[in-house]
Amino acid sequence: QVQLVESGGDSVQTGGSLRLSCTVSGYIGRVTYMAWFRRQAPGKEHEGVAAIEKDGRAHYADFAKGRFTISQDNAKKTLYLQMNNLQPEDTAMYICAARDGGPWSGVLRAESYGYWGQGTQATVSS
């Protein structure tokens, strides 16, 4: 089992920045991918934001390229998402996910991940 706890969400104005963190614990030896998803309203599907492979290779959704950066600190067992130039449409619950195997639907598809945190809310006002 893998446990994920997010933090860092806040309310900012348009153009502002946030750094989200996801602390990982449990049996992480088999984790191959970690990712950030977002859900912009209850009941809506999880939208892939960024993912990072065990070797550090990063993948981004088109809307995140150039503004968001995913990184990991293996010593601290923490995943980060640096978000710059935030816009109102970035308002969402941001959720950390981990994969250690199972069905594969793509690096930014929710179906590929088996472990999920509770999320941290980011709100961007104009």
Side-chain angles (χ1 to χ4, degrees):
Q1 291 291 320
V2 175
Q3 292 80 43
L4 307 169
V5 179
E6 302 93 334
S7 62
D10 205 344
S11 295
V12 297
Q13 293 190 326
T14 298
S17 297
L18 285 174
R19 187 174 85 153
L20 308 182
S21 299
C22 172
T23 302
V24 187
S25 62
Y27 186 63
I28 63 174
R30 294 177 58 184
V31 171
T32 52
Y33 288 81
M34 295 210 53
W36 287 97
F37 287 79
R38 67 185 187 185
R39 188 179 69 241
Q40 294 179 305
K44 288 196 70 176
E45 66 178 19
H46 288 55
E47 180 180 34
V49 178
I52 190 165
E53 301 183 41
K54 199 170 185 178
D55 63 3
R57 187 180 311 180
H59 306 265
Y60 294 94
D62 285 345
F63 66 81
K65 291 177 181 176
R67 297 191 302 132
F68 296 1
T69 303
I70 189 171
S71 62
Q72 57 191 4
D73 184 328
N74 292 328
K76 294 182 179 179
K77 297 182 181 179
T78 303
L79 179 73
Y80 300 101
L81 184 68
Q82 177 68 43
M83 303 190 295
N84 297 327
N85 191 23
L86 284 161
Q87 302 298 312
E89 54 266 33
D90 294 316
T91 294
M93 180 73 74
Y94 284 77
I95 306 162
C96 177
R99 168 181 172 83
D100 68 355
W104 177 253
S105 298
V107 67
L108 291 176
R109 294 296 302 270
E111 297 84 358
S112 300
Y113 295 83
Y115 300 100
W116 295 86
Q118 294 297 308
T120 186
Q121 178 70 34
T123 302
V124 186
S125 58
S126 56

